[in-house]
Amino acid sequence: ILAITKNVKTDDNDYHIIAEIENKKNLEVAQMIGGANIELILSDEFISRIMVQTSRQAGLSIVYTDLLDFKGDEIYFSDEPKLVGKTFREALFSFNNCAVIGVQDAKKAVLLNPPVDYVIEEGDKVIAISQDDDKIHFNGEYTDVATDLINHNNDSNHQHDNILILGWNRRAKIIIRELASYTNASANITIIAELKNMSKTIQQLNEESPNTHIKYIKANTADRQVLEKIDVNNFDHLIILSYQDHYSVQQADAKTLITLLHLRKIAEMWGMTLNVVSEMLDAKNRELAKITKADDFIISDNMISLIISQVAENKYLMQVFAQLFKSEGNEIYLKPAVNYVVMDTETNFYTVLASALEKNEIAIGYRLMENFRDESKNYGIVLNPKKSNKIKLSAIDFVIVIAQT
């Protein structure tokens, strides 16, 4: 970073640097060197936050991958003069083929899910999920919402807080601290790993998170008897961490795969449904892991590479990702469809959008659970649907929203 900034002309500010930082202690120094021209991705923090959010909501890793991988819909910034003087609510209903999620104001500040009465001014850009930036077309405000099909339920998801972590790596402490920031006073986190001398680490984590009880068990996480003895059905969320600091890539992934296979067999024997998020190191092993029928996989290096690629295209996306991947503020949630519209009745996505707005949320898609094992149908995830198309949601389906809780 020093070399690059030293060789750039002082009057040339039309460039930006993206750098991955592992050690948080280096973040401030790197920021001082790069100034306004650098975007720093603290990789361990990002992956830890993504894993925590995904562990609490099955299918979220698919949503994130869709937004990052350049294959489908991504996040774009668009200048739309016809929106000047209109409110953010009017902007939400003015695009049929893209999902508006926020505004970048004239000072380049990113506002996700701003108040609906926010007035768009000259110099503002809308932030939208779209197939491409040239697909963002202003259609004029749509007002034909089927208000009689809106459900006014405002039941938030009950956040269960009995969590099992299998395995350990350098990100484990960050993940546990992030989990503690989400959980309530009755939260329990059980860690099973094969490491010795963990008592001081666990004591420190308990002191840092007084509202969370953290317990450590030394055992082989890939041992079927260990998993049966712990009774995994007692846990609301399961996280499998890769032993990347202790084994080679293939050895670490093999251990994860064995653990997943045991969990699948246990779940089948006892007729259970387990919410499991697993960390993989090699993207090729993701294909092998499909046989385990686990809910979510986080391929750490691949996810960071995608984020870096996106920010290289537009440095202001860093503000979007920083907000989405924090426990405070707006995040992506999958919430029961029954809270939004009448079940098993055809309606359009404008109606779903209007229902979400009553809860101060922005609807950006849905998940059809009849397809949740079907890769060809993206595991039921539909992002940025054409709003005028008819859809029919059932009691087991979910609406994907950007919301604060």
Side-chain angles (χ1 to χ4, degrees), residues 44-244:
D44 283 354
E45 297 270 347
F46 263 89
I47 292 300
S48 298
R49 290 169 179 170
I50 291 170
M51 286 204 72
V52 168
Q53 291 182 4
T54 304
S55 73
R56 304 176 71 79
Q57 300 185 85
L60 189 56
S61 68
I62 304 164
V63 176
Y64 282 148
T65 302
D66 279 4
L67 289 175
L68 294 171
D69 67 3
F70 293 101
K71 292 179 182 177
D73 293 271
E74 288 91 45
I75 300 172
Y76 295 97
F77 291 56
S78 179
D79 184 12
E80 182 46 73
K82 293 179 182 178
L83 288 176
V84 173
K86 295 185 179 295
T87 64
F88 183 68
R89 181 188 177 88
E90 291 173 310
L92 288 169
F93 288 88
S94 295
F95 299 86
N96 190 25
N97 296 321
C98 68
V100 174
I101 62 172
V103 174
Q104 182 190 45
D105 66 21
K107 296 180 180 179
K108 306 299 183 184
V110 165
L111 308 170
L112 287 185
N113 190 16
V116 291
D117 58 357
Y118 175 95
V119 178
I120 295 172
E121 300 177 353
E122 191 170 345
D124 288 357
K125 293 183 178 181
V126 293
I127 305 170
I129 298 171
S130 177
Q131 280 193 339
D132 209 337
D133 52 357
D134 61 3
K135 302 288 186 183
I136 303 175
H137 299 305
F138 177 86
N139 301 113
E141 189 182 2
Y142 183 92
T143 57
D144 189 19
V145 171
T147 55
D148 58 317
L149 296 180
I150 291 178
N151 272 346
H152 303 281
N153 302 342
N154 202 22
D155 298 331
S156 59
N157 287 332
H158 173 64
Q159 295 292 349
H160 300 291
D161 296 317
N162 204 15
I163 301 156
L164 176 63
I165 298 176
L166 299 170
W168 189 269
N169 59 41
R170 68 174 185 268
R171 283 190 283 271
K173 293 180 183 178
I174 304 171
I175 288 171
I176 291 166
R177 292 181 186 119
E178 283 290 316
L179 282 168
S181 71
Y182 280 91
T183 54
N184 58 40
S186 62
N188 294 288
I189 300 175
T190 300
I191 305 157
I192 302 178
E194 299 170 45
L195 307 183
K196 300 177 182 178
N197 304 319
M198 289 286 288
S199 56
K200 288 185 178 179
T201 299
I202 301 303
Q203 181 182 348
Q204 180 187 1
L205 288 168
N206 271 307
E207 289 172 356
E208 293 174 354
S209 309
N211 292 331
T212 305
H213 177 65
I214 302 165
K215 180 175 70 172
Y216 178 75
I217 299 171
K218 181 183 178 300
N220 182 356
T221 52
D223 187 323
R224 170 77 169 271
Q225 292 182 340
V226 169
L227 299 174
E228 289 180 341
K229 188 176 181 180
I230 198 68
D231 194 358
V232 292
N233 195 37
N234 286 332
F235 295 92
D236 306 300
H237 310 287
L238 281 73
I239 299 174
I240 302 177
L241 294 182
S242 169
Y243 283 101
Q244 65 183 77

Side-chain angles (χ1 to χ4, degrees), residues 336-338 343 367-372 393-398:
V338 69
M343 296 292 90
R367 188 180 198 189
L368 302 177
M369 293 305 291
E370 67 178 2
N371 300 324
F372 85 112
L393 298 174
S394 73
I396 61 171
D397 296 332
F398 292 87

